[in-house]
Amino acid sequence: FIYAVMIDMFLCAFPPAMNDMEKKLAEYKCDTNEAVCLKLVRFPEDIDDESTTFHPEFSHQLYGDDEVAFGYKGLQIQLYYSAGNLSTLFKVKYTARVTDTFDCMEPDDVEDDFISLLEKEANFKPFGSLLHTYKVHNVEAGEDLTYQIHKVDISCPGFREYHERLQTFLMWFIETASFIDVDDDRWDFFLVFEKYNKDGETLYATVGYMTVYNYYVYPDKTRPRVSQMLVLLPFQGEGHGAQLLETVHRYYCTSAKVQDITAEDPSENYVKMRDFVLVKLCLTLSSFSSEKLSQGFSEEMVSEAREKLKINKKHARRVYEILRLQNTDMSDEEKAREFRLEVKKRLYGPYRKNQRELTKMQKCLRPEELASHISQMDTRLQHEELDKSYQDVLAEYRRVLERLAQA
């Protein structure tokens, strides 16, 4: 037994080298995140323009957890979309295939039929009703580009098929993406398009989209919850996500039936964007004025944020802290201390809950079990964790304020 264990340890430390066959076959493995080439095609010349190509962040939903395709050298899986209607052109290229060298090997099947409908792009018009138009300065083009946000429902003619093509981008850029049941009429869809001209014609390019599900809240309210949000890679970093979220908030603010607006499993980047948008919106509320911010978080803030902007109490508190920081002279030790204690008081909530639970445990746990729980709630460690949480929050808030100053 000992001898066998020693052999296993040796093999783990010094794995056997690949034989010649394995080395040759390894040359036919391709990273599918690099092999998949995506493109939003506006003009025929874009097809051969390498600068317009971008790659997915994820491909495991199609090619397995290892994100590898076997059987090709120099593999390119070209999935091109017309910029507006998202009609697809699909091609597969490679420099060599495993069957060229090994008759007994078959490559993975990665090719499908494809069609190109680029010439019909001039006929494409955005779906739904126009909610908002805005401009973004493009340094490369040296001009302001025009964008539109539309609200759509699934009954809009042609939209169901368009959405089927649009949601394929989710697989490439959201790790845990899944498709939604569009037959449920509680879904709302919001789309962003770029409006541009070519040879005197007005054309539209798809920029991104958001899906929102309207949950029922007893007795007669709804709670819109952001489910999916994606800005296509060529348009990221230009502020379209913030424009979209603000437009969606303003859309639901007009409805007396909406309780508040939430998000499903928001990512870290989404939370940062939401902070920016909600702070920007709350600057218009009287309860968030400089004078009232210095008096602390109030029910007036909670009520006004909920009634006028459909912001829940948790998010209103976060907005308050960001604006309180903006109005605090952090070089003044006393004012900085007041702000720090205000934020830490909120952050301390989970620790206070643990202490209450420990008090209850004292009545039913054995001494050794109680000692184990107490050791996990070391006061010094809690203070260190609390201080780190505060520093992290402070850095996040400062980033929001920096973006706000540039807006």
Side-chain angles (χ1 to χ4, degrees):
F1 172 77
I2 295 175
Y3 180 69
V5 170
M6 291 176 66
I7 291 177
D8 287 341
M9 292 175 63
F10 178 82
L11 291 175
C12 289
F14 304 100
M18 289 192 298
N19 59 38
D20 290 342
M21 174 66 79
E22 289 173 330
K23 288 180 180 179
K24 290 180 180 179
L25 292 177
E27 296 175 2
Y28 291 88
K29 290 183 178 181
C30 299
D31 182 338
T32 50
N33 286 339
E34 296 178 4
V36 174
C37 301
L38 304 172
K39 195 185 289 279
L40 294 169
V41 181
R42 300 189 182 198
F43 315 118
E45 55 266 30
D46 291 343
I47 294 176
D48 297 319
D49 184 353
E50 290 297 322
S51 68
T52 63
T53 300
F54 57 102
H55 302 276
E57 292 182 23
F58 309 101
S59 55
H60 60 276
Q61 297 209 50
L62 285 180
Y63 298 108
D65 292 341
D66 56 356
E67 297 182 324
V68 168
F70 170 74
Y72 304 88
K73 287 183 181 180
L75 178 64
Q76 276 196 358
I77 303 168
Q78 299 176 340
L79 180 55
Y80 298 168
Y81 298 80
S82 61
N85 197 40
L86 302 181
S87 300
T88 55
L89 170 65
F90 187 87
K91 293 191 293 184
V92 174
K93 293 183 176 181
Y94 49 86
T95 56
R97 196 164 62 164
V98 70
T99 49
D100 299 336
T101 307
F102 302 94
D103 293 335
C104 59
M105 294 289 180
E106 284 295 329
D108 296 337
D109 182 11
V110 294
E111 190 165 3
D112 199 359
D113 293 333
F114 64 87
I115 57 172
S116 175
L117 299 173
L118 192 60
E119 66 277 4
K120 296 183 179 180
E121 279 292 280
N123 299 326
F124 174 76
K125 297 293 183 287
F127 299 95
S129 56
L130 175 64
L131 297 182
H132 179 53
T133 300
Y134 62 98
K135 292 182 181 294
V136 174
H137 184 71
N138 184 281
V139 177
E140 186 177 336
E143 61 180 344
D144 291 341
L145 303 182
T146 302
Y147 297 88
Q148 296 181 345
I149 297 177
H150 290 242
K151 193 267 179 181
V152 197
D153 62 61
I154 200 65
S155 63
C156 184
F159 177 67
R160 179 186 292 267
E161 294 76 16
Y162 168 86
H163 177 261
E164 288 177 357
R165 299 189 292 273
L166 176 60
Q167 68 179 347
T168 59
F169 282 101
L170 295 176
M171 295 187 300
W172 305 122
F173 295 101
I174 298 180
E175 187 171 10
T176 58
S178 60
F179 295 162
I180 63 174
D181 177 12
V182 295
D183 291 322
D184 190 331
D185 61 7
R186 285 175 288 186
W187 284 108
D188 287 335
F189 302 84
F190 300 87
L191 305 172
V192 186
F193 296 95
E194 179 189 343
K195 182 180 179 181
Y196 65 101
N197 293 299
K198 172 69 174 177
D199 298 331
E201 288 186 305
T202 299
L203 301 171
Y204 295 88
T206 301
V207 173
Y209 81 116
M210 176 190 289
T211 59
V212 180
Y213 192 81
N214 293 283
Y215 282 89
Y216 168 72
V217 178
Y218 179 85
D220 59 352
K221 299 280 188 180
T222 61
R223 174 171 285 125
R225 179 180 293 178
V226 176
S227 174
Q228 302 163 321
M229 182 175 183
L230 180 65
V231 174
L232 301 181
L233 191 62
F235 301 95
Q236 289 181 12
E238 299 177 353
H240 300 293
Q243 288 280 357
L244 178 56
L245 183 59
E246 182 177 345
T247 300
V248 169
H249 254 275
R250 292 188 183 281
Y251 171 80
Y252 288 116
C253 285
T254 61
S255 174
K257 289 187 176 182
V258 172
Q259 177 82 7
D260 52 36
I261 303 167
T262 62
E264 179 183 343
D265 298 327
S267 67
E268 184 177 325
N269 286 335
Y270 180 88
V271 171
K272 291 177 183 177
M273 180 184 65
R274 181 175 63 192
D275 284 342
F276 167 73
V277 170
L278 297 190
V279 167
K280 183 180 175 185
L281 291 172
C282 285
L283 283 171
T284 63
L285 303 182
S286 60
S287 61
F288 286 85
S289 65
S290 299
E291 297 77 18
K292 293 184 177 180
L293 286 168
S294 61
Q295 299 171 16
F297 189 56
S298 66
E299 281 301 317
E300 182 186 4
M301 293 175 179
V302 175
S303 177
E304 189 175 21
R306 182 181 63 247
E307 291 175 7
K308 293 185 178 180
L309 297 175
K310 311 302 181 183
I311 299 173
N312 62 36
K313 183 176 181 178
K314 179 181 177 182
H315 297 161
R317 168 73 194 206
R318 193 169 170 93
V319 168
Y320 154 75
E321 291 178 1
I322 295 172
L323 291 178
R324 175 76 181 265
L325 174 62
Q326 186 185 48
N327 285 270
T328 299
D329 181 2
M330 295 299 281
S331 64
D332 184 316
E333 289 187 9
E334 184 58 31
K335 291 181 179 178
R337 179 178 177 276
E338 289 178 3
F339 175 78
R340 183 174 65 253
L341 292 177
E342 182 80 2
V343 175
K344 282 189 173 182
K345 183 170 64 175
R346 174 182 63 81
L347 295 175
Y348 189 67
Y351 299 103
R352 191 181 297 115
K353 179 181 178 182
N354 288 340
Q355 288 180 336
R356 289 197 299 267
E357 291 177 350
L358 181 61
T359 302
K360 296 177 183 178
M361 290 178 183
Q362 289 176 337
K363 301 176 182 178
C364 56
L365 291 180
R366 295 194 300 271
E368 61 272 17
E369 293 175 327
L370 185 61
S372 174
H373 281 279
I374 291 176
S375 66
Q376 295 174 20
M377 300 175 63
D378 178 75
T379 304
R380 181 183 59 80
L381 182 60
Q382 286 185 4
H383 281 298
E384 290 177 359
E385 292 177 349
L386 185 61
D387 189 60
K388 184 181 182 304
S389 295
Y390 169 73
Q391 294 299 333
D392 290 343
V393 165
L394 189 62
E396 292 170 8
Y397 290 177
R398 282 175 170 156
R399 281 193 291 268
V400 174
L401 292 175
E402 286 173 6
R403 183 176 182 183
L404 194 66
Q406 297 169 1

